[in-house]
Structures are given as structure tokens and as C-alpha cells.
Amino acid sequence: MSVWDDVVGQEAVISTLSGAAEAARGLAEQREARAGGGAEDPPSATGPGSAMTHAWLITGPPGSGRSNAALAFAAALQCAGDVPGCGQCKPCRDVMSGAHPDVVRLATEKLIITLDEVKELIGEAQRRPWTGRWRVILVEDADRMAERTTNVLLKSIEEPPPQTVWLLCTPSADDVLPTIRSRCRLITLRIPPAGAVADLLVRRDGADPALAARAARASQSHIGLARHLATDPDAWERRRRLLRAPVSLRSVGDAVLAAADLVESAESEAQARTAERDAAERADLMRALGLEGEGRVPPALRAQIRALEEDQKRRAKRARTDVLDRAMIDLLSFYRDVLAAQMGSDVERVNIDLAEQIERAAASTGPEQSLARIAAIEECRGRLRSNAAPLLAVEALMIQLRPQAR
Ligand SMILES: [Zn+2]
């Protein structure tokens, strides 16, 4: 067992990061020896020749496990076992469970990371390690920062204290400003093979092997989605309903209804995910303000409640965007299968459980139509991400997906 076990299908990345952790250990030992002798300056973690450096940009497509890889690296840096990242020692276990005081992690469920959050992180980065050898600052969605915020971060990444390591995660290197990119060492995760994802679901989540294999394939190796499909019994049904809808639409009216249906179910799924936490947060805040059990909020305290509500609204929006984006990925996979059938390609199909619908759709249209539909889904996806009204965007899409005479 080691901290790398759940970083599936990423042998090259694991080898680079564990090499870096090895080099980091050497640097830390030198530093400790010198501190004991009281001589010379401590060695720096950087240097183009060193396997270790103090700023990393860990990229990979959504679902490839980039934040898992970053966390495993953080554990390997703090590890006290024989081989960095042993997974057994206390520092390793503490990092993996989120309890290590020298690994500060920012994971946001909101659409943006605020300037205040980044300033707080920079403060954390300036501290010396409490118990570990390194102070590790892990930012999971570094792409969700406004340019102004990024510029504040830049200064800290340029000249961090010698024992600080920044780990920034983004989908691709283009998601951060070139000034940040050029100061980080780049790590790129690939899409893991479906077999490796299925193994992980069986080993880590106790999923049934056949179901895990189907889920890994249907999610196109997106680890989070595959887990969702392998562990939530309703998820398959929702997915089937979604993928059957466009081929059964008869009219524009049908398309509008199908769009409303999809957006509504995205809303309720997102709400189910955030409601409990919203209520708990509100109760905590009321208690902190001394308003327990009271119906009326004094005017002086309303701003704080409003700030929380704004935060929660943003989070709900992000959750809904995520659910709709997942639906778009599923729709894309369906029409890619249709296109593959039309071209007579023997590429492995994603939706083996919908073979009949795919054959029917393939026979009744041509490849140009499939390509146009794929483009329409990509366009809708882009519009959803750029804050378009979801219902309008999805309606426009459903109208385009509706079967039409050839
Ligand atoms: Zn360890």
C-alpha cells in the first residue's frame, strides 16, 4: 500500500512526483544538518537541475484525478517512512485524511476563488512548518481565479520561503496566466484507461466488478462520474432517460418539454447535494451571532446573513452547472457512438447499454447530421459555462437534436 495507489493509470506522473519527493527529502536533511551546525544558508528547493521545485502546476482533464495526485505528492513530501509516500506512517495518513497541519488545501465549490481566500493562503504559505518538513499549499481549482487575484498570488509563488511548496491544479496549462505557468513545473495527467478506473472502483469503493467496468466505460474514464454510476442506483436510470430523450422527440414542443425536464432535474439534483449543508451553515451562523431560535434578524446583522446566502447561491449555481455539464458529456458520448456506427468504425463504444437506440439513430440520419449535433452540444456546453440562462441554452440544443427527415 502507498499514497500513490489511488492515482490510477498515471505511471509517468507518479515516477516524476516520487522522484521529486525523494530529492525533497535530501534537501530537507541537508537543511537540518546545516541548521544543527549553525553554518551557511539553507539550500533552496529550486534549481533547474533538481527533481524538486517549489511551485507545481498539476493539470489533467476533469476526472483524471489531478487533486488526488497533488494530495499524494503532499503526503510523500511529509512522509516519515523509508520510501516517501509509504501510506503507513502518521504524516502520510494525516495528509490523506486532511488532518496534517502543514498541508493547507483550498477546494472550492463556488465558481470563483476570492481575493480574500488567496490572501489567506499567502499568509499560510509564509509560515514555517509546524511538524512537517514542508509547508504545502494545495489549490484545487486554480483556474477559478480572476486575473487580479492571480497577480497577488504570483508574488508569493515567485519568492516563497525555502520550505514552502505550492501545488496548483487546473484542467490544462492554458487555464492559468502565462506568468504563473512559467514559474511552475508542469505535470500532465492523461485520461486513465477504463480498466484502471474500474479496478479502483472495486478496490476503493467496493463496487461490483461488472458494474464498475460498465461505469468506467460509460463515464469515459472520468473517475468521479464512474464512481457516481457505480454506486448510485438511480444514476443509470437518469442517464438512460437523458440519452433516450433526444431520439424520441417528435416536435419542437417535445423539445421544449425535454429541455425543461433536464434543467429541472439538474436543479433538484444540485439542491439535494447542497441543501443539507446550507441549512447547517445557516444554523451555525445564527448561533455565532447569538440569534438561536429567533425569527427576526436585527438590521445590523443582516449583512452577514446576506453574505452567507450569496455564497450559498453561488455554490448552488456551480452544482447545477456541474450536473448539466455531466449531462452534456453523456449526450456527446451518445452521438459519438452514433457517428462511429455511421462511419463503420470499430472504435470501442461508450454506451453499450444503448446499442439499439444508437443503431436506430445511426440508420435514420447521416454522419453530417451527427457532426452537426456534436457541434451543437459543444456549443450548448460552452454557453452553460459562460453563464447563459440554462433553460434557453438547453431548449436551443434539444430543438437541434430533434430527429429530422434526411
Ligand atoms: Zn509515509
Side-chain angles (χ1 to χ4, degrees):
M1 189 192 132
S2 89
V3 294
W4 307 109
D5 286 356
D6 290 353
V7 184
V8 291
Q10 311 291 348
E11 292 72 18
V13 165
I14 292 175
S15 132
T16 306
L17 292 180
S18 49
E22 216 37 278
R25 178 174 284 193
L27 288 165
E29 279 163 2
Q30 277 178 43
R31 187 166 50 217
E32 280 153 22
R34 287 184 202 212
E40 296 157 80
D41 285 343
S44 153
T46 50
S50 171
M52 180 58 188
T53 187
H54 64 75
W56 298 78
L57 182 60
I58 299 175
T59 68
S64 58
R66 51 179 190 260
S67 42
N68 256 348
L71 193 64
F73 183 35
L77 288 173
Q78 308 290 14
C79 177
D82 290 340
V83 181
C86 69
Q88 322 272 340
C89 69
K90 184 164 166 27
C92 272
R93 282 182 286 128
D94 282 351
V95 174
M96 296 310 275
S97 68
H100 198 291
D102 288 316
V103 176
V104 179
R105 191 170 167 190
L106 178 69
T108 187
E109 290 179 3
K110 291 175 280 178
L111 286 165
I112 56 160
I113 295 175
T114 64
L115 187 57
D116 285 345
E117 284 172 317
V118 167
K119 283 185 177 159
E120 204 180 312
L121 279 186
I122 292 172
E124 296 281 5
Q126 294 303 321
R127 289 218 174 113
R128 293 175 64 81
W130 298 106
T131 61
R133 283 176 157 161
W134 302 93
R135 193 90 183 126
V136 182
I137 314 292
L138 197 174
V139 184
E140 284 194 3
D141 301 287
D143 52 315
R144 297 209 182 115
M145 253 181 255
E147 193 167 327
R148 189 167 66 105
T149 314
T150 311
N151 284 326
V152 173
L153 179 65
L154 187 61
K155 294 199 190 79
S156 179
I157 288 186
E158 254 172 339
E159 291 164 19
Q163 281 162 277
T164 293
V165 180
W166 283 92
L167 306 179
L168 308 180
C169 302
T170 61
S172 82
D174 296 330
D175 293 321
V176 291
L177 293 179
T179 43
I180 293 268
R181 194 162 67 227
S182 64
R183 282 160 183 82
C184 295
R185 196 166 293 169
L186 182 65
I187 293 285
T188 308
L189 275 73
R190 59 176 183 147
I191 295 176
V197 173
D199 287 348
L200 175 70
L201 297 179
V202 172
R203 180 162 43 79
R204 187 188 63 187
D205 305 309
D208 166 71
L211 184 60
R214 218 164 63 138
R217 196 141 131 191
S219 69
Q220 298 164 81
S221 289
H222 185 300
I223 297 170
L225 296 193
R227 178 166 183 272
H228 182 69
L229 282 173
T231 53
D232 176 358
D234 296 333
W236 282 108
E237 192 39 47
R238 275 200 298 272
R239 187 171 189 279
R240 286 176 75 89
R241 210 170 56 214
L242 165 72
L243 296 182
R244 279 205 210 114
V247 277
S248 63
L249 304 174
R250 292 281 161 265
S251 64
V252 172
D254 281 357
V256 170
L257 286 178
D261 196 35
L262 175 57
V263 173
E264 210 171 282
S265 75
E267 299 265 6
S268 60
E269 198 184 330
Q271 208 175 16
R273 249 197 264 167
T274 52
E276 201 173 317
R277 195 161 140 203
D278 285 357
E281 279 176 354
R282 194 184 165 90
D284 280 351
L285 178 63
M286 298 296 263
R287 211 171 303 131
L289 297 176
L291 295 172
E292 230 164 335
E294 288 193 33
R296 286 176 60 86
V297 179
L301 299 178
R302 275 180 205 152
Q304 273 167 285
I305 307 243
R306 213 160 30 230
L308 176 70
E309 284 169 353
E310 286 300 314
D311 254 15
Q312 294 183 336
K313 225 184 279 171
R314 274 197 293 272
R315 192 164 65 202
K317 195 163 153 190
R318 161 88 203 274
R320 189 187 62 201
T321 309
D322 285 353
V323 174
L324 283 173
D325 193 55
R326 204 174 64 207
M328 294 302 126
I329 295 173
D330 285 341
L331 283 170
L332 276 175
S333 74
F334 182 84
Y335 288 101
R336 285 203 184 116
D337 281 350
V338 171
L339 183 64
Q342 287 164 332
M343 308 296 280
S345 151
D346 53 6
V347 180
E348 237 188 332
R349 301 284 155 80
V350 171
N351 300 287
I352 19 181
D353 52 329
L354 293 167
E356 200 193 312
Q357 278 89 351
I358 288 165
E359 291 309 324
R360 215 181 310 142
S364 64
T365 61
E368 325 72 49
Q369 280 161 308
S370 297
L371 283 169
R373 286 182 171 134
I374 288 169
I377 299 167
E378 289 287 12
E379 197 194 325
C380 177
R381 218 179 152 197
R383 291 178 65 192
L384 289 170
R385 267 197 302 243
S386 67
N387 265 337
L391 189 56
L392 290 181
V394 176
E395 263 176 18
L397 173 65
M398 287 296 173
I399 288 171
Q400 279 169 290
L401 294 184
R402 182 172 52 101
Q404 286 160 52
R406 221 202 294 210

